[in-house]
Amino acid sequence: MSWKNTVTTTMEAIRKSVAEQLQAAPAWAVLSHEKPDGDTLGCASALIGLAKRLGKKCLWLGVSPYPHQYAFLPHAEDYVDLSTAQVLEEWARETFLFVAVDTSNPERGPLATPEFKRCFSPSALINIDHHADNTRYGTTNLVDTDASASAEALCDLFDVGGWSISRDEARALYVALITDNGRFSFSSTTPRSFRCALRLLEAGVEPWEIADHLNKNFNPGTLPLWGRGLTRMELFADGACALVWLAEDDFAQTRTTHGDTENFVNWIMRIRGVQIGALCVEASPDVRVSLRTSRPLNARELAAQFGGGGHDQAAGCKIRACLPEAVGALKRAMASYAERFSRPR
């Protein structure tokens, strides 16, 4: 499935085009990426809320189970997991404007699934994202690489469309914003990030409430799961690299899911001297890898060696191999990459 890119010359023109298309379309289908995080879920939640306020029919599609950590987001009950969905055919008769949010390429979301292809044939697709490695796969591509999160791009889009932001939409966008820029700690954070946050607070967000939802939602087995990983932690490349891994049995024995690993890799980066942190999770036939780096090292460059991508300091990839082979290959790549920055210049 492919689309011809819409040619526009400025970000302002793209925002205006997207706003006009959304306003004109009677039905929206919002698409979130696999293993959804706060940015894709928060942005999608806000768009579903806006669609309902504007009297649009709406559908929210994903390709992974909805993570329990974000069950508090508005409209979470509307999320449809394509891996288990049984009722898509009834939507196939509807003419949707499709909107992919925070998804750098179509293979990461519903567009590539047999279920989607069986039921839908999009004539228009809006691609809203902020990843520098976005493949511009939409008919209209609002790819704002200066934004620390796709939430920033959506806040600007609300302005261009002349749409107010309701309290529920603001809460969803605030979650999207702070989970993707590390609560304003990542290098992608700019004054624009704080202006976006200010607008959302003025719309009714209470940071303490969001913090409680995000910080106090572990399953009973989450810390035991993390403990298993930490007991296997390996430090190498003179302490510049740290890696932990989790096997499929670890999830079964702690009664957890892959969603319970969110933010685990960030804790590895708290070790003094670590410049690259990695979490490997067995998910046969692949091993899923989450990467974090400190500047000037670039997580996206490292992930790209395995066909992955993401942000400068936070990225991911999949390695098609058994767990020991994947861990070995990743360790070699991490050590080699770290060495490039340790050599005298």
Side-chain angles (χ1 to χ4, degrees):
M1 190 179 297
S2 63
W3 297 270
K4 182 179 178 182
N5 289 351
T6 299
V7 177
T8 50
T9 57
T10 66
M11 189 62 68
E12 290 76 13
I14 298 173
R15 291 190 189 104
K16 182 178 179 182
S17 173
V18 170
E20 289 173 347
Q21 290 179 65
L22 289 171
Q23 189 67 62
W28 305 353
V30 183
L31 313 177
S32 288
H33 62 67
E34 63 183 346
K35 198 181 176 185
D37 59 8
D39 200 11
T40 192
L41 293 173
C43 288
S45 170
L47 282 171
I48 293 296
L50 176 63
K52 292 181 177 183
R53 279 203 293 134
L54 297 178
K56 314 286 185 179
K57 293 182 179 179
C58 54
L59 180 62
W60 182 2
L61 300 177
V63 293
S64 303
Y66 192 97
H68 69 86
Q69 296 95 326
Y70 296 102
F72 67 92
L73 284 175
H75 316 295
E77 68 280 1
D78 292 330
Y79 179 90
V80 177
D81 176 6
L82 281 176
S83 66
T84 59
Q86 303 293 325
V87 295
L88 283 184
E89 283 77 4
E90 71 184 55
W91 292 97
R93 297 185 295 271
E94 192 68 55
T95 302
F96 285 105
L97 173 62
F98 291 85
V99 186
V101 287
D102 195 51
T103 306
S104 57
N105 63 70
E107 288 72 30
R108 294 195 66 217
L111 297 168
T113 65
E115 296 83 2
F116 185 94
K117 294 176 180 179
R118 185 183 72 245
C119 296
F120 304 110
S121 182
S123 58
L125 170 66
I126 294 172
N127 166 26
I128 301 175
D129 191 21
H130 71 121
H131 293 93
D133 56 356
N134 187 286
T135 59
R136 273 68 172 178
Y137 54 87
T139 52
T140 304
N141 296 291
L142 177 49
V143 181
D144 188 346
T145 57
D146 292 329
S148 72
S150 294
E152 289 182 24
L154 269 190
C155 278
D156 290 343
L157 182 62
F158 271 70
D159 283 339
V160 172
W163 304 310
S164 61
I165 300 179
S166 72
R167 182 175 182 272
D168 275 352
E169 292 153 14
R171 292 171 70 239
L173 289 172
Y174 186 79
V175 169
L177 177 69
I178 67 171
T179 55
D180 227 45
N181 64 25
R183 307 186 191 197
F184 310 106
S185 67
F186 292 168
S187 62
S188 58
T189 303
T190 66
R192 176 186 177 191
S193 308
F194 289 98
R195 288 194 294 270
C196 178
L198 174 61
R199 181 176 179 195
L200 299 176
L201 265 64
E202 290 174 341
V205 168
E206 296 189 73
W208 67 267
E209 177 195 14
I210 302 300
D212 275 359
H213 280 303
L214 293 175
N215 295 338
K216 300 177 181 179
N217 59 12
F218 279 6
N219 279 327
T222 299
L223 290 180
L225 176 72
W226 289 19
R228 285 170 177 250
L230 291 173
T231 62
R232 303 165 181 149
M233 185 178 67
E234 297 183 62
L235 287 172
F236 53 98
D238 294 326
C241 300
L243 181 146
V244 300
W245 57 267
L246 292 168
E248 290 179 332
D249 284 349
D250 293 321
F251 295 95
Q253 293 173 15
T254 57
R255 298 183 180 180
T256 53
T257 69
H258 288 185
D260 292 300
T261 64
E262 183 167 2
N263 292 322
F264 183 16
V265 69
N266 294 333
W267 285 85
I268 302 169
M269 296 299 294
R270 295 190 173 204
I271 300 170
R272 185 184 301 113
V274 168
Q275 298 295 301
I276 308 176
L279 167 65
C280 295
V281 176
E282 185 178 29
S284 298
D286 301 311
V287 173
R288 295 178 179 268
V289 178
S290 297
L291 292 166
R292 297 292 184 270
T293 59
S294 297
R295 299 180 74 177
L297 282 74
N298 189 300
R300 185 175 66 247
E301 288 182 359
L302 184 55
Q305 297 184 31
F306 298 94
H311 308 292
D312 287 355
Q313 268 67 65
C317 61
K318 297 178 187 175
I319 302 177
R320 181 60 60 92
C322 66
L323 184 58
E325 291 177 357
V327 168
L330 183 62
K331 285 178 62 179
R332 290 189 292 273
M334 291 169 65
S336 176
Y337 189 68
E339 183 183 6
R340 286 169 47 189
F341 293 86
S342 63
R343 295 171 183 159
R345 297 180 182 274

